[in-house]
Amino acid sequence: MSGRARSGAGVVATAAILDAVLVVLFVSIGRRSHAEGLDVVGIAGTAWPFLIALAAGWAAARAWRHPLDVWPSGVVVWAVTVAGGMLLRVVSGQGTAFAFVVVATLTLAALLLGWRLIARLVTRRSRARSGRTAGADSA
């Protein structure tokens, strides 16, 4: 096993839910920018390919082992979410215009990788702080 600690169930559940919420946010922003409705049925119809691909990405990366890691967990989750989501959109007759693929790729990268980068920075800072505090307490 690597030097990374395994994540608890709460961290895994939070990470999975956050990924799903961010995919729905991406879909909602896209629907709003194209003057499409923000009703539950419309959002679900646009989001389902990406949510299924997100689940496949979690499985492919075994992201539950290290859900906060940008590499490889986050990158695999992101890549499978984009590629699988686009494939499912094609199969289901939804559009995959080149501009949409580019925007989806970049936006989902910012969302799915961005929160992991922030979490990693916060985790490192809190560990560094607790290390300094522990060192000061033992002196």
Side-chain angles (χ1 to χ4, degrees):
M1 186 169 122
S2 71
R4 300 175 296 190
R6 288 194 175 264
S7 296
V11 172
V12 172
T14 300
I17 290 167
L18 184 56
D19 277 347
V21 166
L22 290 172
V23 166
V24 172
L25 176 66
F26 155 71
V27 165
S28 298
I29 291 168
R31 290 184 60 82
R32 181 168 168 87
S33 72
H34 293 288
E36 295 176 340
L38 292 181
D39 59 291
V40 173
V41 173
I43 291 170
T46 305
W48 75 262
F50 294 103
L51 291 171
I52 289 174
L54 175 70
W58 265 74
R62 298 188 321 183
W64 57 88
R65 298 176 85 196
H66 304 288
L68 304 182
D69 287 357
V70 175
W71 177 258
S73 296
V75 171
V76 172
V77 167
W78 161 66
V80 173
T81 299
V82 172
M86 293 302 168
L87 180 62
L88 289 170
R89 283 180 62 87
V90 168
V91 169
S92 66
Q94 296 184 42
T96 54
F98 179 74
F100 174 66
V101 174
V102 171
V103 168
T105 300
L106 296 176
T107 303
L108 288 170
L111 295 172
L112 298 177
L113 301 177
W115 81 258
R116 286 176 169 85
L117 284 169
I118 292 167
R120 182 57 59 195
L121 291 172
V122 168
T123 302
R124 283 185 182 160
R125 278 195 179 154
S126 72
R127 283 185 187 153
R129 242 185 258 129
S130 67
R132 284 193 302 264
T133 304
D137 291 343
S138 65

